[in-house]
Amino acid sequence: MSIYVGNLAYEVTQEDLTEVFSEYGTVRRVHLPKDRETGKFRGFAFVEMDTPTEEESAIEELDGAEWMGRAMKVNKARPREKKASPDGGRKRNSYSRDY
């Protein structure tokens, strides 16, 4: 399981998040996604902890907590949703016509 951490200040580092979450257990990994085009931090992160119990404790304590001037949004990460294609998932041949 992974924890989603949103509404983060853009100055946040992996070390900052590791320090905060380590109060609730062992932090295995911190991932700070960056914008593909600009390379800048996107304002959210994913944190993986050693056990589900540690993750639940961190979520309960940190969701809504003010940190670095912002109220953090902390919850279980959900699987990435597939984006719909512009044509609604239908592939059309160049010779197709709508009648």
Side-chain angles (χ1 to χ4, degrees):
M1 182 174 95
S2 191
I3 300 171
Y4 167 83
V5 187
N7 198 34
L8 294 172
Y10 291 101
E11 304 82 41
V12 170
T13 66
Q14 287 182 328
E15 292 78 19
D16 293 333
L17 284 167
T18 299
E19 185 177 329
V20 168
F21 278 82
S22 65
E23 293 181 29
Y24 304 96
T26 303
V27 176
R28 284 180 165 182
R29 180 176 179 250
V30 174
H31 176 63
L32 300 169
K34 294 186 178 183
D35 185 89
R36 289 181 195 165
E37 294 176 17
T38 65
K40 293 182 181 181
F41 173 54
R42 296 175 63 192
F44 65 92
F46 296 97
V47 177
E48 292 178 17
M49 299 187 73
D50 211 27
T51 68
T53 304
E54 292 171 349
E55 290 179 344
E56 289 295 330
S57 177
I59 291 169
E60 287 177 25
E61 293 295 321
L62 295 174
D63 186 37
E66 188 170 323
W67 185 53
M68 298 180 83
R70 294 175 172 238
M72 288 193 292
K73 177 70 176 157
V74 183
N75 55 41
K76 290 182 182 181
R78 290 182 234 134
R80 179 181 244 178
E81 294 180 9
K82 292 183 180 180
K83 293 183 180 180
S85 62
D87 65 358
R90 296 177 304 238
K91 290 191 176 185
R92 297 182 156 212
N93 297 325
S94 59
Y95 54 85
S96 298
R97 292 181 134 175
D98 290 327
Y99 293 98

